[in-house]
Amino acid sequence: MEFGTHTSASLHRHKTPALAVGVFDDGILSPAADIIDRADHGAIRAVIQSEFSAKVGATLVLRNLAGVAAPRVVLVGLGKQSEYSPKTHARAEQAFATYCVQAHLTEATSTLVSISCAQSTIRERARAAAAAVGEATYHYDATLGKPDVQARPKLKAFNILVERTDQSNAQRGLREGAALAEGMSLARTLGNLPGNICTPTYLGEIAKKLGREFKSIKVTVLDRKQIQALGMGSFLSVAKGSDEEPRFIVMHYKGSAPAKRASKEPAAAGPVVLVGKGITFDSGGISIKPAATMDEMKYDMCGAASVLGTLRAVAELELPGEIVGLIPTCENLLNGSANKPGDVVTSMSGLTIEILNTDAEGRLILCDALTYAERFKPSTVIDIATLTGACVVALGNVNSGLFSKDDVLADSLLAAGRQALDPVWRMPLDDAYQEQLKSNFADIANIGGPPAGAVTAACFLSRFTKAYRWAHLDIAGTAWRGGKDKGSTGRPVPLLLQFLLNQA
Ligand code: BES
Ligand code: MN
Ligand code: ZN
C-alpha cells in the first residue's frame, strides 16, 4: 500500500476516484464536507436532510458533483459532534476503506484526519487511518485450492488531506500506521494458518526470514537438543507429547540509538523482552478438550504471532533501543510420552511443577522462557498468551487481561491500550491467590481450581518473574473472533507497538 499526504487547499480540484468527507449528526458538516457542498450548490446539505443519517460508519456515495474533480464523494457518518473521539474517527476511516475495497477501487483520498478531535494529534489520527486501511484490505486466501484473485482487495494507494503545516506529522503517523498494519497482517495470517502448516518449525522459519529482511534483528532458533541443554524441563514436557519438533525462538532487535525513557518510566537500562506463547495446536493433551470448537486451538500461538508482528513493525520503523522477542513453541498433543495428570517436571528455574491438568500447558512453556529472559537483564518483560478460557469469561472479546504488580508499568500499558484502541483491563494479582497453587508433591501445581482461573494462571507465571519488572497479557478473548467471522484479529500488536513507541 502506498500512503501519501496532500494539502487540503482547493479540495474540489483534488483528483481521486473517491474522496471521503465527514458528516456529523444533525446536519453538521466537517470543513471538507462544507467546501464540497459549496462547490455544488448545497448538494450535500440537500441529501443529508432526506436520506443520510450520519450514524458512525454509515456511508453514502454522491457521484459526479458539479465543480468537484473527484467522481465519487463518499459521505462518512461521524455521529454526534459532541461525542467525536479517536475511536469514532477510526471507525469512520474503516467504513470508507471498506467501501473502497467493496467498490474495487485502486486509489482513494480521505479528509477525515484533518477533523480535529480533542483527545488525539494529527500524527495519531494519520496512524489510525493507515491502520484502518490495513484492516480493511487484509485478505486471507493462503489455503484455498483456487484463490479467487478477483476477491483480493485492489486498493493500492491511499492519501490523506491535511493542512500544509501538518504534513510532516501526518507523514510520520502514516508511516507508523503502515508498519503497524504490516505487523498485524503478519500476526493475523500466522494465526489463521492451520496447525499442520503453521508448525513450530514454520514459526522458526518466519522468524529467520524476518532476520534476513531486517539487519537490525538477529535471530536464533533452538531445536529440541538445545532446549534440553538449557534445562527447560517444563517446556519440553509439553513438547514431547507430539511428533512435531519444538523450537525456542530468540529474536534480538537493536535500534541505532538507545531509547530515552519517557519521564514516568525509571531510567532503566536493558531491553524490553516480549515473550509469546507459541502452542501451534492445543488439543488439551491427556486432559483432552471437547471436539466442538477444538479447531480454534490453532490460534493458541497468537501470543507468538503478536511478538513476530510487533518486532516486524519495530524494525520497519527503526525504533531506538533494544527489544528481545522470545517464543517457546510446540504442540500440545497426546501420544505415549505425553504428560499425564500427576506428573512432576522440573522447570529451568529449578522449581518443580505438578501437572494436575495437561491442558494448562501455556504456563508450562512460558515459565521456562521467562527464566531464560533473565539473561538479558531486562528493564521490562511482557508475556503475551492465549492463556485461559477464564479470561474470556471475565472480559469477553473487548479487553485483554493485564496482570502486573508494577503500577507504573501497568499504567503505561493501560494508556498505550487506550491510545491504540486496543484496550486492556487490569486484573488482580494478590499473593493470597497463590494459595490455590499449593501442591502436595511439588513446589507448585499447574492449576488452581475453578475460582479466578485467569488470576491463578498469572500467579503461576509470577513465580518465575522475580528478577525483573513484569506484566502478563491474557489475550485468549481478543486475539481472534469465533463464529461466522472466525479469524485472527492481530491484537495486541497495536498495544505493544504503542507501548514501545511511547518508550522511544
Ligand atoms: N489455550 C487455552 C486457553 C484458551 C481457552 C484460549 C479458550 C482461548 C479460548 C489454554 O491452554 C487452556 O486450555 N487453559 C485451560 C486452563 C485450565 C485447564 C486451568 C482453560 O482455560 O480451560
Ligand atoms: Mn490448553
Ligand atoms: Zn493453550
Side-chain angles (χ1 to χ4, degrees), residues 277 279 281-284 289 297 300-301 332 358-363 386-388:
K277 171 178 172 182
I279 295 289
F281 187 76
D282 180 10
S283 70
K289 288 182 181 294
M297 283 300 122
D300 213 16
M301 35 53 70
N332 186 24
T358 65
D359 198 10
E361 86 298 339
R363 59 199 84 178
T386 47
L387 203 62
T388 65

Side-chain angles (χ1 to χ4, degrees), residues 194-346:
N196 61 333
I197 294 176
C198 186
T199 60
T201 307
Y202 184 87
L203 285 180
E205 291 303 323
I206 293 290
K208 284 191 213 156
K209 198 166 138 220
L210 280 182
R212 287 193 297 272
E213 215 174 322
F214 298 98
K215 293 287 157 272
S216 54
I217 310 179
K218 296 271 169 290
V219 178
T220 318
V221 179
L222 308 183
D223 62 15
R224 194 189 294 264
K225 270 218 176 82
Q226 294 166 302
I227 299 167
Q228 225 149 21
L230 284 168
M232 294 185 166
S234 183
F235 173 23
L236 276 179
S237 77
V238 179
K240 73 182 163 50
S242 164
D243 295 344
E244 203 59 66
E245 285 298 310
R247 293 286 184 262
F248 188 72
I249 303 170
V250 182
M251 289 180 287
H252 202 143
Y253 167 82
K254 279 193 185 134
S256 47
K260 285 192 217 78
R261 302 282 149 192
S263 55
K264 271 203 316 184
E265 301 281 315
V272 173
V273 179
L274 304 176
V275 182
K277 171 178 172 182
I279 295 289
T280 56
F281 187 76
D282 180 10
S283 70
I286 299 292
S287 315
I288 198 163
K289 288 182 181 294
T293 54
M294 206 204 269
D295 65 295
E296 295 183 350
M297 283 300 122
K298 71 173 182 179
Y299 294 115
D300 213 16
M301 35 53 70
C302 281
S306 75
V307 172
L308 289 161
T310 301
L311 278 170
R312 193 195 187 289
V314 161
E316 183 88 54
L317 292 172
E318 301 176 330
L319 290 196
E322 202 182 336
I323 300 158
V324 175
L326 299 178
I327 296 173
T329 172
C330 68
E331 281 185 338
N332 186 24
L333 243 55
L334 51 164
N335 61 17
S337 15
N339 279 329
K340 302 173 292 297
D343 283 1
V344 174
V345 298
T346 305

Side-chain angles (χ1 to χ4, degrees), residues 405 429-437 459:
K405 285 214 168 169
L429 201 58
D430 311 47
D431 290 332
Y433 292 102
Q434 295 282 356
E435 293 292 311
Q436 289 174 237
L437 294 172
C459 283

